[in-house]
Amino acid sequence: MTATAPAPRTRPAAVPTPRPAPRRRRGSVGGTALTVLTWAIALVFVSPALWMVLTAFKTEGIAQTDPPTLLFQPTLDQFRNVVGADFMPYVGNSLIATLASTALVLVLGTPAAYALSIRPVKRTKDVLFFFISTKMLPLVAVVVPIYVAAAEVGMLDNIWTLVVLYTAMNLPIAVWMLRSFFLEVPAGVVEAAQMEGASLPRVLWSVMLPIMAPGVAATALICMIFSWNEFFFAVNLTASQAATVPVYLVGFITSEGLYWAQLAAAATLASLPIVVIGWMAQRQLVRGLSMGAVK
Amino acid sequence: MPRTKGRPGRFAALGALGAAVSLVSGCAGAGGVAAGGDGTTLVVAIVSNPQMEDAISLRSDFEEEYPGIDLRFVTLPENEARAKITTSIATGGGEFDAVMISNYETRMWAENGWLENLQPHIDATEGYDAGDFLQPIRESLSYRGDMYSVPFYGESSFLAYRKDLFDQAGLEMPADPTWAEVADLAAELHDPESGTAGICLRGLPGWGEVLAPFNSMLNTFGGRWYDQQWNAQLTSPEFRRTAEFYVNLVREHGQPGAANSGFGDCLTRYSQGNTAMFYDATAMVSTVEDPDSSKVAGKSGYAPAPVSETDYGGWLYTWSLAIPETSEHKDEAWRFLSWMTDKEYTEKVAEEYGWERVPPGNRISTFENPQYQDVASAYAEPMREGIADADPKDPGMRPVPYTGVQFLAIPEFQDLGTRVSQQLSAAVAGQISVDEALEQSQQYAQSVGDSYKETR
């Protein structure tokens, strides 16, 4: 996404419209160069994903050619292999882990963010720093204690262990994001509602949330992306019952033999839900993210 | 998404989310979404190599034979599988009833009491011919005379070469090549302009990557990691000579970007016809000789692992199956282990997928099977010799305090080997000199050696 940030306002002049002022034309030449550069950079960044999608439709033999084959008879065989091999339980686990943890994060994070923005408590800054400091510890440092603790209470290979961990993992970010969105809500609107006698839940629900909706959507999406793609906890804490899609995905990586096409198909399928959700929430996302960024 | 108009919309959205969660979680058991059976469920952790995938796809055969046993597989790539299985076994996590390990772990873990002794099971199973396992493989999986894991397939290393390129250049591969001869051949065949490297040798860091071919070369050059008093020998003349030879060979006549290529990359290059020779694991044949994924199928000759001072240069590795001490279903797990490593399994694979896909290198009977000899005529003999000649107890020319051919069977080796391999890889990349790499490596190795001096 950042690759497209320096895009100029001028569109890549597809329809040559006469431009009278010479000053503008000079600007447009520079603009075109910038546009070309932007496209080039964007292409570089997108090419691994393109390669993945393209490879997913190849046979194994074609997938390994060097240089890569661009024209070929596409096949759905790889997708069939991937979906055929017990794919659905993994999708189910990923859905539970993602949706449940995101819902929990929103339920727990919204009041916290409200308290830290609209009704600041003592030492708000310290509290905020404490939240974010929990993200500073590398996950690898805590995985063994978590593993041993989970084994002790019989929660290994249990999807709710992942739900708890993902909630904890995403909560600090969500609180920070939601807080910046609460700060966006004009104080006057809130006061007006209170003057009208609206209760706190009502103010939250009917006044603040509609204004913040893009922000909440952006927060939820970020949480979903992180949970859906999380691999480290998933691979270490699950076995046969609660394994998620990323764990299923790496099963296609092999140290003996070449199965790039199949791996690419599995990776494409695994990234599809996030891409679809992201695409659907595009408008909210851009508004939400830029809303937070202004502060 | 359109903007929601007032309450009902938002409630609907929230309701949908809630419904989705409860729908998915509703059909989940206590642990997750996998379906359960009535009988015993065996959880098997397995490495995602092609032969193991074949075993997984033949699971119905096992489940028909033992209707009360339900199999669940956890399939991970080598490194992830090793890390996960090690964590689970060492902390007594108890998720698995059967695990895939190798001759690196078996003896250490047996000594720690982490694995079920399989010998009583083997002795009680009629027709399970453990004497049919190749001797070095069987021994490398035994502790105090008892087997603690059973081999699924075994491998050594050998030298694959392109017969067509050799013919074109008027060259011939000696029956038992030396490393010096291989270096000369590589120089002749090295042709970067047409995109052909003389030889592909691993340069990727990792104790199981660059160190595997390197250590097998070290053994035949007369080098060793430690003397019998655990003094590190990484700056000894033999070690230095090996390192210089290896680094020079791959830098001068090896593949481009060698510091980043491991087994997988070399395998791709060789099967795509981009290198004339390839010294690596015998397991390469399942890809190299598969016309679907290889452009050079049928064009390769195979020579025994090159030597220098010794008569044999190959390594010894085996993927094997063990039962963790924590398993509550040891008898059922043994049924699965014996099914997957039995002679009948080999025939089952041959029937379903053909003889070229049977797991090789574990049983003598496979090598002696005429149908296998038929499809594997190019490589069966050098593979068998490589395995049969490997001696983990006495891998090189001089005595060592450890066992293992291309690795040292000590727990510290995963870490030490990876550090040393990073130094070697940096030398392959040309970032540091061989001397610098060895000086640093010697320090790492000595600190491990010192801990053994103190305890022994």
Side-chain angles (χ1 to χ4, degrees), chain A residues 64 258, chain B residues 160-164 267-275 284-302 356 375 378-379:
Chain A
Q64 286 143 30
L258 304 166
Chain B
Y161 62 98
R162 289 272 303 283
K163 285 189 293 190
D164 53 334
L267 184 63
T268 313
R269 287 172 193 268
Y270 187 78
S271 5
Q272 291 302 310
N274 298 333
T275 169
M284 69 166 85
V285 292
S286 57
T287 301
V288 170
E289 297 298 339
D290 176 4
D292 286 342
S293 55
S294 169
K295 284 184 186 165
V296 299
K299 291 183 185 167
S300 292
Y302 298 89
E356 60 273 19
V375 300
Y379 51 82

Side-chain angles (χ1 to χ4, degrees), chain A residues 6 8 10 12 25-41:
Chain A
T10 46
R25 196 180 295 146
R26 260 209 312 277
S28 146
V29 168
T32 313
L34 249 177
T35 308
V36 169
L37 185 71
T38 308
W39 274 98
I41 294 173

Side-chain angles (χ1 to χ4, degrees), chain B residues 169-440:
Chain B
L171 297 170
E172 201 170 330
M173 176 63 78
D176 292 294
T178 65
W179 274 111
E181 287 167 336
V182 170
D184 289 343
L185 289 168
E188 292 269 355
L189 292 160
H190 193 60
D191 185 6
E193 274 164 31
S194 74
T196 312
I199 189 167
C200 205
L201 278 175
R202 302 183 195 179
L204 188 70
W207 69 274
E209 287 288 358
V210 61
L211 280 193
F214 176 81
N215 278 343
S216 68
M217 189 190 273
L218 177 73
N219 291 330
T220 187
F221 271 65
R224 53 183 174 171
W225 280 66
Y226 295 99
D227 69 10
Q228 282 198 294
Q229 284 73 47
W230 286 99
N231 295 308
Q233 301 291 312
L234 278 70
T235 44
S236 66
E238 296 85 4
F239 206 108
R240 191 179 303 262
R241 202 161 69 86
T242 317
E244 274 165 6
F245 186 89
Y246 194 95
V247 170
N248 288 343
L249 177 57
V250 70
R251 278 181 67 82
E252 285 164 19
H253 309 301
Q255 72 279 20
N260 291 318
S261 50
F263 175 70
D265 185 60
C266 280
L267 184 63
T268 313
R269 287 172 193 268
Y270 187 78
S271 5
Q272 291 302 310
N274 298 333
T275 169
M277 288 184 283
F278 176 28
Y279 169 64
D280 218 303
T282 54
M284 69 166 85
V285 292
S286 57
T287 301
V288 170
E289 297 298 339
D290 176 4
D292 286 342
S293 55
S294 169
K295 284 184 186 165
V296 299
K299 291 183 185 167
S300 292
Y302 298 89
V307 291
S308 181
E309 314 290 323
T310 61
D311 291 337
Y312 316 113
W315 72 57
L316 182 72
Y317 194 76
T318 170
W319 281 119
S320 60
L321 289 158
I323 303 175
E325 197 45 52
T326 48
S327 168
E328 286 167 10
H329 311 291
K330 295 197 179 79
D331 287 332
E332 290 88 347
W334 168 250
R335 283 194 194 126
F336 172 70
L337 261 61
S338 56
W339 172 79
M340 201 166 145
T341 55
D342 198 57
K343 285 179 201 166
E344 272 179 38
Y345 174 81
T346 310
E347 273 159 34
K348 175 67 66 185
V349 175
E351 207 175 284
E352 292 284 329
Y353 305 113
W355 278 96
E356 60 273 19
R357 268 170 67 179
V358 301
N362 59 345
R363 285 183 170 274
I364 298 170
S365 54
T366 308
F367 282 116
E368 285 175 352
N369 185 298
Q371 285 156 297
Y372 179 71
Q373 286 173 350
D374 225 25
V375 300
S377 58
Y379 51 82
E381 210 37 46
M383 183 192 287
R384 181 181 179 166
E385 276 171 23
I387 296 170
D389 293 335
D391 186 355
K393 284 194 184 130
D394 185 15
M397 285 173 70
R398 285 181 294 165
V400 287
Y402 51 83
T403 63
V405 180
Q406 77 282 21
F407 55 75
L408 281 61
I410 54 173
E412 295 86 351
F413 186 68
Q414 292 202 37
D415 180 49
L416 170 63
T418 300
R419 285 163 185 260
V420 171
S421 72
Q422 285 162 347
Q423 297 294 318
L424 267 182
S425 183
V428 167
Q431 292 159 349
I432 56 173
S433 70
V434 170
D435 280 345
E436 286 167 329
L438 294 185
E439 290 295 332
Q440 183 65 57

